[in-house]
Amino acid sequence: MVVATSRLTPMGVRGTGVAGGRARSVAGPKASKQSKAVARNAREAAFFGSEVACASRASPRLGSRAGRRPMLKPVAVIERPTVDPESLKASTRSVLAIILGGGAGTRLYPLTKQRAKPAVPIGGAYRLIDVPMSNCINSGINKMYCLTQFNSASLNRHMSQAYNSIVGGGPAGRGGFVEVLAAQQSPTNPEWFQGTADAVRQYLWLFQAAERDGIENYLILSGDHLYRMDYSDFVETHVRSGADITVSALPCDEKRASAFGLMKIDDTGRIFEFSEKPEGEALKNMQVDTTVLGLDEERAEEMPYIASMGIYVFKTSAMIDLLTKHFPEANDFGSEVIPGANSIGMNIQAFLFDGYWEDIGTIEAFYKSNLALCESGDKLKFSFYDHEFPIYTMSRFLPPSKVIESEITSSVIGDGCVIRHGSKVSNSVVGLRSLIGSNCVVEDALIMGSDYYETMEECELLPGCMPIGLGNGSVVKKCIIDKNARIGHNVQIINKDNVQEANREKEGYIIKDGIVVIIKDSVIPDGTVI
């Protein structure tokens, strides 16, 4: 992948960036690198077993922080790492991760027309599911289920190809696995998933079977958030506090607070009150002292609210009791089960997450989060470039991207792309295998690329032989182009009438929040103006 932070010309790069020339770091330094490296080595040793170690530890860096690690592969070592298994119990052996894939994904439609929400591509090379999956792997958690109800084929394929070789049992017999669980009807439950809690309830029989393998806690995650988090700290805090449930909490100011479900805590961090998207006086009543959770006094004054991130750790016994005994009809964790647990006196603790986190469940949020990856310096809030805590995905073995006499400014270019002469790409994300023709203008756009390369013989089988990609002389601005779209020559996707909402699905596109979304596999004829 290429991250261009300056002008790219046939002679090389002017300034700094990761595109020829010398690489520049895109992530800030971290404190206590030596101690974190020791902890990371311990997690990886436990994850792969004492017989193996992470091959990528010896991988060369590209610049200071921008290096990418290859897919993890175990290699034999002579010395066995000395790791105390008991010290890793909370973060590895006792945790089962359950990733909630969401419903039909109507807010992200048409990106979810042919795929489950966690399978939506992001960042030029990844899928949404890669974020929680990678966080689990980096945290030493290797037992993972993903619950989904709609269009699960591509998600299942991606997860099996990307992660089974990483988290499988291996020579140490750790018993790791990754499985997609689709909604199903049964004689005892003829209904589809009715919500997050109901989805877990319907597969509780399977999760309970994991208890004989030492599972003591369920980690509940969402498949449509963008963040980087070490869950082992989260779980260890949960175990140490003796809580029945621990909720990951995001500190926020008054401007953002009204968009979230808020919580109030006492001086021990125990949650005793919930309020869903309060406003006015009700909002002010939800202020708390966030220094209790670890914020310094200055930031605590700026951010006197804590919002639920939709990430939870449950004791297995608490989960079973809540879903089968106390609230057998409840469908949602955030609005029903957890407030209900509070009402019956369960110990619910808050865990502070003081980092970048974004809910990307809408077209607008998804679009903005992708383009934010093109920022640099202090403006860059999240980066996939972190060799200490990488985001993994499926290995595709694609060739490097080829840029021919073109200009690229502040953009992310995925592998296997071809950008032809005279084209200009600025503040855009260009996905895998993208073809951008000559003299094109790509500005503030997310192009997801293609699932495959197409030969001329294959193209000639189609009427008009319009290849996948962007035709010569086309202009695309403020838009999302889904995979395998065929954009003709001299097409303009610029939302010239500034339309905010429009459904032109038969014509191959939809407009949401003023953003034009070209539907997957669509054909946009030569000369079209949108």
Side-chain angles (χ1 to χ4, degrees), residues 11-245:
M11 298 301 294
V13 178
R14 300 178 185 175
T16 59
V18 184
R22 184 176 179 180
R24 181 180 62 78
S25 171
V26 295
K30 290 187 176 180
S32 307
K33 286 187 177 180
Q34 186 174 3
S35 62
K36 289 189 176 183
V38 172
R40 185 173 63 254
N41 287 337
R43 287 199 301 269
E44 291 179 349
F47 189 85
F48 291 104
S50 58
E51 299 288 347
V52 296
C54 176
S56 59
R57 182 64 54 232
S59 300
R61 297 186 186 181
L62 179 61
S64 58
R65 288 292 306 277
R68 291 183 63 200
R69 300 201 297 179
M71 185 178 73
L72 292 177
K73 296 180 180 179
V75 296
V77 293
I78 296 175
E79 294 187 16
R80 295 189 177 191
T82 55
V83 181
D84 178 10
E86 286 302 313
S87 68
L88 295 160
K89 184 177 181 181
S91 61
T92 55
R93 299 189 313 178
S94 70
V95 180
L96 176 68
I98 302 170
I99 303 171
L100 303 175
T106 53
R107 296 188 301 163
L108 272 178
Y109 192 86
L111 302 180
T112 53
K113 182 179 180 179
Q114 298 182 41
R115 57 171 79 93
K117 184 161 53 174
V120 172
I122 186 173
Y126 305 90
R127 294 179 186 257
L128 290 177
I129 191 65
D130 292 329
V131 174
M133 289 292 299
S134 299
N135 285 338
C136 284
I137 291 171
N138 292 325
S139 303
I141 297 169
N142 69 342
K143 299 177 180 67
M144 292 164 270
Y145 286 111
C146 180
L147 304 184
T148 186
Q149 184 157 289
F150 298 91
N151 298 326
S152 59
S154 63
L155 176 64
N156 201 357
R157 181 171 59 250
H158 175 80
M159 291 182 66
S160 62
Q161 293 177 357
Y163 297 107
N164 274 338
S165 61
I166 299 177
V167 304
R174 293 284 173 175
F177 58 83
V178 175
E179 290 186 25
V180 176
L181 302 176
Q184 61 184 6
Q185 294 175 310
S186 68
T188 57
N189 195 337
E191 302 294 333
W192 300 113
F193 295 158
Q194 301 301 306
T196 54
D198 184 62
V200 173
R201 182 188 294 111
Q202 290 195 31
Y203 273 106
L204 201 56
W205 60 272
L206 179 61
F207 304 149
Q208 285 182 267
E211 290 185 47
R212 61 174 174 263
D213 296 325
I215 296 300
E216 300 172 359
N217 299 287
Y218 296 135
L219 175 63
I220 307 298
L221 305 171
S222 176
D224 59 354
H225 297 163
L226 183 61
Y227 64 108
R228 183 178 274 110
M229 181 178 181
D230 188 343
Y231 299 138
S232 63
D233 296 337
F234 184 25
V235 175
E236 286 166 11
T237 300
H238 167 78
V239 173
R240 190 167 55 249
S241 69
D244 295 301
I245 306 169

Side-chain angles (χ1 to χ4, degrees), residues 437-458:
S438 302
N439 302 311
C440 292
V441 175
V442 179
E443 182 180 311
D444 300 329
L446 167 59
I447 300 177
M448 293 187 176
S450 174
D451 288 320
Y452 55 90
Y453 287 120
E454 184 178 53
T455 65
M456 185 57 66
E457 290 77 12
E458 291 171 330

